[in-house]
Amino acid sequence: MQGQPLMGEPWAGHGAAAAVGAAGQALLPASCLGRCPSCPQSPALAVPAARAASCLPHSPTQGLLSVLLQTMHYWVFWFLLLQSILQYPQPVGDVLDEVTHLSMEVHAMHLEVERICLEWEVEQLALKQSWQILALAWLLLVLTLWFMEMERSLWGEENEEGNVDANEEDDVGNEVDHRVQDNIGRMLVEHIQWPVQDLQTGCEWTMDLMDNYTIYFRHVLTNSFYPVLQRAIGVGSAFEGWSPREQDSVYRLLIPMTPPRGHTFHLEQDTAGQRHGRNFRVRVQLECTCSREQQGESMLCFLHHPEEELRSNQDRSLLHTLCTGSYLDVHKTARWFYQLVRAIWPALPQSHTWHLVLLPSRRSCQFKVTNGAESFRIEVLFGVRQGASDIFVSSQPRGAGTPRTTWPETYAVAEMKFFKYIARQAPPDSLHLRCLQFFSRVQLGIGFPTYTIKTIVMHLLNTRAVSQWRRRHFLSRLIDINKSLRLCLVQKRLNHFIVGNQRLPEEISLPPDVQMAEPPNLFHHLVMDPGARSQAIGEYLDLQRHITAILNPSH
């Protein structure tokens, strides 16, 4: 509904969305989600007379084929609606009588639709576009029922006894149902323009590069008192197997850091203003190494040797290089890592055929590697692991004004491991990543963060069997994602996926306080700010229009 203000409860609407909601399904191209003064209480159809005359033929045989051809570009949106509200009875008896009966029903439905179109032509001109879609879909329901009954009647006639065993009929019906759904999924997947990129190759190349860097890191930093850099962990969308963008995928890595000799790290939670995310500071402490010195290690104890002796015989401690006060400084750590990357690059085998370009960043190390034909954009984050878990505090910012000694808690490693777990459990033709990629791409520029869509998909993957994400389920899962987003907006709540989730696979390790915590609400801003909720509703309506435009094969 173009330009119509939202009135009352935005999701208590009717029309296209309500008609589908009654069947327990979510409507992707929702055009009227609010109660509009110009809309009636019961859903109806509004199509201009000229259009109605062209799409409501009077010849039962010729007309059915004509309508089917005219409405084929809308049929994928409505097939699942047909499934949810209709049961197909198995034919028994004379096939000719059944076909005649169905033809009469089709003709009667044509007349009813034509009558409704004429009645609403004057009253509902403002809803012309959206109700045309609904009118065509209603005709499609009748046509689909007719063809399905015809097909099943023909199969029943071929049976020698004139009847088909109930179990055999169910098997035949399921086979047809799956074949039709699989064709719908295939058509949609082929129609959507997917990014042309090989993420697996990019991830492998990036990990090879970082493994080569790690070898030199360990060699250069062996006797220093800088943080010890562990093997990089691939995180983020690319290493999870999907990407929201077409050409500018970022290969993000997290490098765990452990304290150097004579130092310890202590994580201190910063409780100030942390209602919706946990922040930490990494306090660096010196420890006594006199026993190591007695065992022959070439290291002076920072605690018990005179300052002058330390300055003349040993490098400075971490407290005097990468810390502000007693806390590890993110900005200083990023600058130090930049220097390492630049200095070591000429020694790497990749430097012979690739060109390194360092990009500006205060809380991470970002660079691009190109060889003329290909390029990879890489972002390296730094983190400190919480115990032996998959939860880290990292240098990734939380907002524009994140203090330089603040290390927000990150769940990127746990999320990456969850997607790897799903990939091992899912069938080879699973399209769960395609569903995530489609929704994350279509909402770019609309306003919803990509992490919102990713969280919704992770919740669905954790509660719905992985066998239900195959090609024939593609449209159903898109509807599920859309419906979940709508319900979250209605309830103004979207729970974090990792925090407080006690249903994660056993291979994902969480600290007890993270596992037992109350899940943060990613939609908390909708509760606090009514204006934000109105804006989110508008963004949701924009999202529906984008989805309709992309999935509509006529475009």
Side-chain angles (χ1 to χ4, degrees):
M1 179 168 53
Q2 302 294 332
Q4 182 68 36
L6 297 173
M7 303 290 292
E9 185 62 25
W11 305 112
H14 51 281
V20 181
Q25 297 291 330
L27 180 63
L28 286 177
S31 302
C32 183
L33 296 176
R35 188 170 301 281
C36 309
S38 61
C39 293
Q41 293 298 322
S42 59
L45 312 175
V47 184
R51 179 61 174 168
S54 64
C55 63
L56 298 178
H58 298 285
S59 173
T61 304
Q62 209 173 8
L64 288 176
L65 181 58
S66 174
V67 172
L68 178 62
L69 293 175
Q70 294 177 29
T71 63
M72 189 61 66
H73 61 292
Y74 291 107
W75 75 290
V76 293
F77 296 108
W78 299 97
F79 182 78
L80 289 182
L81 175 60
L82 172 66
Q83 281 189 303
S84 65
I85 64 176
L86 295 174
Q87 297 294 329
Y88 301 113
Q90 302 303 321
V92 177
D94 186 61
V95 177
L96 181 59
D97 293 339
E98 183 68 20
V99 173
T100 302
H101 175 70
L102 290 171
S103 299
M104 293 176 63
E105 288 188 356
V106 170
H107 183 67
M109 186 60 65
H110 286 176
L111 296 177
E112 178 66 13
V113 171
E114 186 175 10
R115 182 188 65 81
I116 295 174
C117 291
L118 293 175
E119 289 180 356
W120 282 88
E121 180 182 0
V122 177
E123 300 178 15
Q124 295 296 314
L125 289 178
L127 299 177
K128 171 183 174 182
Q129 184 177 1
S130 61
W131 288 115
Q132 279 182 335
I133 297 175
L134 184 57
L136 292 172
W138 182 258
L139 289 174
L140 180 60
L141 296 182
V142 179
L143 291 171
T144 308
L145 174 60
W146 189 82
F147 284 118
M148 291 291 290
E149 290 288 355
M150 283 290 295
E151 190 174 16
R152 295 194 180 196
S153 297
L154 292 175
W155 285 345
E157 188 180 33
E158 291 174 357
N159 187 274
E160 294 180 355
E161 300 294 332
N163 296 296
V164 181
D165 182 76
N167 292 332
E168 293 179 358
E169 289 177 351
D170 290 341
D171 292 340
V172 169
N174 290 334
E175 180 182 350
V176 175
D177 191 30
H178 290 168
R179 187 166 68 247
V180 172
Q181 291 186 57
D182 192 67
N183 286 334
I184 292 175
R186 177 183 54 79
M187 291 175 59
L188 285 177
V189 171
E190 292 177 353
H191 172 69
I192 297 172
Q193 294 182 356
W194 301 102
V196 181
Q197 53 190 349
D198 187 350
L199 292 177
Q200 183 176 356
T201 299
C203 291
E204 292 174 355
W205 191 94
T206 303
M207 287 303 303
D208 288 341
L209 173 66
M210 295 311 300
D211 284 343
N212 289 338
Y213 261 121
T214 301
I215 294 173
Y216 282 91
F217 290 156
R218 292 173 180 172
H219 176 73
V220 171
L221 303 174
T222 298
N223 295 317
S224 74
F225 298 104
Y226 288 102
V228 179
L229 303 177
Q230 306 297 323
R231 188 174 189 265
I233 303 173
V235 296
S237 60
F239 285 92
E240 292 166 352
W242 63 283
S243 176
R245 300 183 181 274
E246 186 162 357
Q247 299 296 340
D248 56 348
S249 297
V250 177
Y251 295 88
R252 186 167 289 112
L253 303 110
L254 177 70
I255 293 187
M257 300 187 303
T258 56
R261 300 170 299 161
H263 300 73
T264 58
F265 288 162
H266 299 274
L267 300 182
E268 295 181 354
Q269 185 175 355
D270 182 6
T271 58
Q274 289 196 69
R275 295 178 56 192
H276 309 291
R278 303 204 308 173
N279 295 327
F280 289 81
R281 294 194 297 175
V282 181
R283 182 161 57 89
V284 179
Q285 283 187 321
L286 299 174
E287 63 176 358
C288 178
T289 57
C290 293
S291 59
R292 298 183 184 180
E293 184 179 347
Q294 294 172 359
Q295 294 173 3
E297 287 194 22
S298 57
M299 174 184 173
L300 303 178
C301 178
F302 284 109
L303 292 177
H304 299 112
H305 277 272
E307 189 72 24
E308 293 182 359
E309 185 178 359
L310 290 171
R311 275 200 304 266
S312 58
N313 295 287
Q314 192 164 268
D315 292 338
R316 294 182 298 170
S317 72
L318 182 59
L319 285 170
H320 294 92
T321 54
L322 302 184
C323 291
T324 296
S326 299
Y327 297 97
L328 194 61
D329 189 303
V330 174
H331 294 183
K332 293 180 180 179
T333 303
R335 286 199 299 269
W336 163 71
F337 192 82
Y338 265 115
Q339 295 171 358
L340 284 176
V341 169
R342 182 188 291 110
I344 293 175
W345 170 254
L348 301 183
Q350 287 86 348
S351 65
H352 302 305
T353 54
W354 294 78
H355 177 61
L356 174 70
V357 178
L358 293 171
L359 305 174
S361 177
R362 289 188 174 184
R363 297 187 64 92
S364 63
C365 180
Q366 299 186 31
F367 55 93
K368 182 182 292 187
V369 182
T370 62
N371 67 352
E374 294 181 281
S375 67
F376 298 101
R377 181 171 177 175
I378 300 170
E379 181 179 18
V380 179
L381 301 165
F382 323 107
V384 177
R385 188 188 299 267
Q386 297 188 36
S389 71
D390 293 315
I391 306 301
F392 289 74
V393 299
S394 79
S395 60
Q396 190 168 12
R398 177 168 288 156
T402 306
R404 59 195 304 159
T405 57
T406 295
W407 296 72
E409 192 169 60
T410 180
Y411 316 97
V413 174
E415 292 167 356
M416 178 273 298
K417 294 183 69 173
F418 174 76
F419 277 101
K420 297 296 184 186
Y421 170 82
I422 293 296
R424 292 194 299 269
Q425 303 297 319
D429 61 343
S430 177
L431 294 178
H432 63 280
L433 293 177
R434 286 291 181 96
C435 292
L436 173 56
Q437 188 161 0
F438 170 78
F439 257 89
S440 62
R441 283 186 61 206
V442 77
Q443 62 80 45
L444 288 175
I446 291 179
F448 290 109
T450 301
Y451 193 72
T452 295
I453 305 300
K454 175 182 170 180
T455 300
I456 290 175
V457 173
M458 288 190 293
H459 278 296
L460 290 173
L461 286 170
N462 204 36
T463 56
R464 190 177 292 276
V466 292
S467 60
Q468 297 296 310
W469 293 82
R470 308 182 73 168
R471 188 169 66 180
R472 64 172 175 262
H473 308 115
F474 184 63
L475 185 57
S476 295
R477 298 295 81 81
L478 292 182
I479 292 176
D480 285 346
I481 298 170
N482 189 72
K483 180 179 178 181
S484 296
L485 176 59
R486 175 178 174 270
L487 291 177
C488 289
L489 291 174
V490 171
Q491 300 170 359
K492 294 180 286 189
R493 182 165 191 87
L494 173 59
N495 285 341
H496 196 278
F497 178 69
I498 297 294
V499 179
N501 191 344
Q502 301 183 30
R503 298 184 55 185
L504 291 175
E506 294 182 357
E507 62 189 66
I508 299 177
S509 176
L510 303 182
D513 59 334
V514 174
Q515 188 174 23
M516 304 304 296
E518 180 71 18
N521 179 15
L522 300 185
F523 279 176
H524 63 89
H525 60 290
L526 303 184
V527 180
M528 306 301 297
D529 183 4
R533 183 169 183 260
S534 299
Q535 180 180 350
I537 292 173
E539 292 168 352
Y540 178 82
L541 296 175
D542 290 340
L543 180 62
Q544 305 316 299
R545 286 189 283 269
H546 283 206
I547 292 173
T548 303
I550 292 176
L551 291 183
N552 189 347
S554 66
H555 282 65

